[in-house]
């Protein structure tokens, strides 16, 4: 390759990497949807230029078939639901926002993933999330009535759960990680926990705990020398802190329900069981194919059944990822989603078998597990949360396909 060609390849690679990093920074910011897609498009164009002018071998090889087939089936089923959707216009818009843009995010990060980009993107994700968390905490203190910068408590806590496993890179040396940086690690975790506590979201602590347990369960047996007693002690302390903070969160939630006298009564006042009951009834009406793709496909039904009672402002969907899949795409959709999540987990589990990709595999498993737990009491498998979910899975799985690329 001559010098001009090499420079072109380097420029294309740099543009792709930086655009993807910028996407991870701006993704959780309120009203950034247009910029998110624009950055993904820039990264995709740079990646296409690199492949066309400098060779397809500059990109990661094709995804494993056990991942690509479930992805295609999920997209095909969602697209086919246009034929029976109760709201075709809404389904059509969701296909663009969730299927097309989600595929774009996965492909960009998958095909561009290598050791150097993994660290760049992880740094952008963690730093951007921490800065946004601190900014919004300051906003809440200085101007509590001002609009949030982070797209809302539910969405931002989901973003925290997606980003948190990447703190693992601050505990291991290069080339796998950033090197052991305990001060930055402690400060970052403290910021994440403070933001989660301020959100008054409860399930986020369960998601953190499951994610932490999966990290420990994946790494300690596979690399006992690197992750021995000290690592187990650190995991135990962190887990205990999460349990304590969950208890504090439960007590703070009483403040939301002004007539609740304790945490138990605040749980009794929760409207989610009503959401789940409405979703279950809707599934029974169309059990096989569902009502059409889109989380809020039967929002009018939810609002009609809630009337003017407490919780109506949230009455648009079933507040559970798997219930919503069954509402929108029926039993076929529920099966497709389950297979898809299992395929992603399998791809990450395979990375555990190789020392060069062991950390990436553990992070991926923790990411999927935490995301699923977080979406048991709500559903944020859409908009920026879904795009970030696909991007992070894409980069970890893509890196696993070419671990020898190095830093």
């Amino acid at each position: 390759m001559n010098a001009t060609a090499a420079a072109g390849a380097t420029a294309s690679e740099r543009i792709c990497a930086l655009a993807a990093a910028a996407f991870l920074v701006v993704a959780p910011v309120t009203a950034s949807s247009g910029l998110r897609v624009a950055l993904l498009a820039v990264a995709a164009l740079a990646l296409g230029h690199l492949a066309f002018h400098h060779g397809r071998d500059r990109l990661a090889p094709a995804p494993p078939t056990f991942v690509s087939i479930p992805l295609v089936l999920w997209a095909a089923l969602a697209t086919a639901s246009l034929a029976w959707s109760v709201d075709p216009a809404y389904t059509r818009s969701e296909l663009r926002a969730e299927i097309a843009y989600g595929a774009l995010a996965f492909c960009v990060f998958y095909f561009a993933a290598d050791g150097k980009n993994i660290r760049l993107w992880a740094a952008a994700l963690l730093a951007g999330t921490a800065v946004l968390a601190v900014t919004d905490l300051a906003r809440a203190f200085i101007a509590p009535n001002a609009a949030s910068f982070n797209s809302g408590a539910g969405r931002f806590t989901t973003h925290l759960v997606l980003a948190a496993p990447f703190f693992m890179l601050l505990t291991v040396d290069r080339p796998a990680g950033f090197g052991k940086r305990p001060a930055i690690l402690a400060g970052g975790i403290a910021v994440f926990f403070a933001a989660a506590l301020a959100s008054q979201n409860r399930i986020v602590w369960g998601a953190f705990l499951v994610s932490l347990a999966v990290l420990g369960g994946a790494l300690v047996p596979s690399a006992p020398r690197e992750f021995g007693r000290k690592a187990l002690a650190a995991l135990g302390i962190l887990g205990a802190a999460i349990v304590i903070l969950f208890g504090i969160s439960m007590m703070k939630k009483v403040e939301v329900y002004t007539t609740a006298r304790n945490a138990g009564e605040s749980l009794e006042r929760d409207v989610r069981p009503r959401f789940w009951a409405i979703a279950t009834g809707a599934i029974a009406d169309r059990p096989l194919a569902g009502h059409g793709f889109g989380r809020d496909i039967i929002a009018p039904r939810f609002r009609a059944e809630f009337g003017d009672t407490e919780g109506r402002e949230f009455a648009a969907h079933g507040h559970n990822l798997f219930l919503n899949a069954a509402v929108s795409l029926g039993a076929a959709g529920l099966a497709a989603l389950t297979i898809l999540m299992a395929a992603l987990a399998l791809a990450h589990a395979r990375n555990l078998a190789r020392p060069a990709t062991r950390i990436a595999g553990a992070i991926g498993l923790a990411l999927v597990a935490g995301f699923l737990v977080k979406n048991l009491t709500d559903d944020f498998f859409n908009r920026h949360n879904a795009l970030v979910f696909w991007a992070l899975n894409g980069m970890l799985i893509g890196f696993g396909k070419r671990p020898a690329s190095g830093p």
Side-chain angles (χ1 to χ4, degrees):
M1 181 183 292
N2 59 39
T4 303
T10 301
S12 297
E13 290 167 332
R14 188 180 298 118
I15 290 170
C16 176
L18 292 177
F23 161 80
L24 292 173
V25 171
V26 306
V29 179
T30 302
S32 65
S33 58
L35 183 55
R36 294 171 213 152
V37 177
L39 288 168
L40 287 174
V42 169
L45 289 172
L47 204 59
H49 179 274
L50 177 67
F52 184 79
H53 291 283
H54 305 287
R56 170 66 180 79
D57 59 343
R58 300 297 294 266
L59 280 56
T65 55
F66 68 84
V67 171
S68 57
I69 290 175
L71 281 169
V72 170
L73 288 176
W74 172 255
L77 181 60
T79 304
S81 74
L82 270 172
W84 61 82
S85 174
V86 298
D87 188 346
Y90 173 72
T91 292
R92 193 175 294 111
S93 69
E94 291 299 283
L95 287 172
R96 181 185 69 251
E98 307 306 332
I99 300 298
Y101 295 161
L104 179 63
F106 181 87
C107 289
V108 163
F109 281 82
Y110 176 90
F111 287 111
D114 59 25
K116 183 178 180 180
N117 284 344
I118 285 281
R119 289 194 298 276
L120 170 65
W121 295 336
L125 175 69
L126 291 173
T129 304
V131 168
L132 181 57
V134 170
T135 302
D136 210 63
L137 287 168
R139 187 272 317 160
F141 180 77
I142 298 170
N145 295 323
S148 172
F149 303 129
N150 62 22
S151 301
R155 291 201 175 279
F156 191 56
T157 51
T158 304
H159 187 78
L160 293 175
V161 169
L162 289 170
F166 287 87
F167 279 122
M168 194 67 211
L169 296 180
L170 292 167
T171 70
V172 293
D173 293 325
R174 288 176 177 266
F178 297 114
K180 296 175 181 178
R181 302 178 184 273
I184 297 176
L185 176 64
I189 291 174
V191 168
F192 273 45
F193 283 179
L197 193 61
S199 74
Q200 297 188 330
N201 187 277
R202 292 167 292 187
I203 192 64
V204 65
W205 302 107
F208 280 151
L209 194 60
V210 168
S211 184
L212 181 68
V214 170
L215 268 178
L219 289 173
V220 173
S222 61
R225 292 184 180 179
E226 295 90 333
F227 301 95
R229 292 180 180 179
K230 289 184 179 180
L232 282 175
L235 290 172
I237 293 170
L238 194 54
I242 291 172
V243 171
I244 292 169
L245 289 168
F246 171 68
I248 295 172
S249 179
M250 288 291 292
M251 290 186 289
K252 286 177 65 67
K253 197 67 174 182
V254 176
E255 301 170 6
V256 177
Y257 300 103
T258 55
T259 59
R261 292 172 295 181
N262 52 52
E265 287 192 8
S266 72
L267 284 174
E268 293 174 4
R269 293 285 306 279
D270 199 300
V271 295
R272 284 178 178 84
R274 292 183 63 189
F275 294 143
W276 298 335
I278 295 170
T280 301
I283 293 168
D285 292 342
R286 289 192 174 193
L288 297 180
H291 297 258
F293 182 72
R295 187 190 71 167
D296 299 348
I297 188 68
I298 58 167
R301 175 170 175 169
F302 276 90
R303 296 192 178 106
E305 295 199 24
F306 256 72
D308 294 325
T309 59
E310 185 179 20
R312 187 180 188 276
E313 65 271 30
F314 305 111
H317 59 89
H319 286 251
N320 177 282
L321 172 62
F322 296 101
L323 277 178
N324 282 343
V327 168
S328 62
L329 297 175
L334 179 58
L337 177 64
T338 303
I339 292 169
L340 177 56
M341 293 299 164
L344 295 175
L346 177 59
H348 297 309
R350 285 192 168 190
N351 282 341
L352 288 175
R354 301 190 302 275
T357 58
R358 183 174 291 137
I359 296 298
I363 290 172
L365 285 172
L367 183 154
V368 172
F371 183 77
L372 291 179
V373 171
K374 181 63 171 64
N375 285 287
L376 292 177
T377 59
D378 210 326
D379 183 0
F380 295 107
F381 191 36
N382 70 345
R383 304 305 183 260
H384 97 261
N385 290 132
L387 292 181
V388 172
F389 176 81
W390 288 124
L392 298 180
N393 276 283
M395 81 180 199
L396 293 169
I397 297 171
F399 172 65
K401 291 292 287 184
R402 56 175 189 183
S405 56

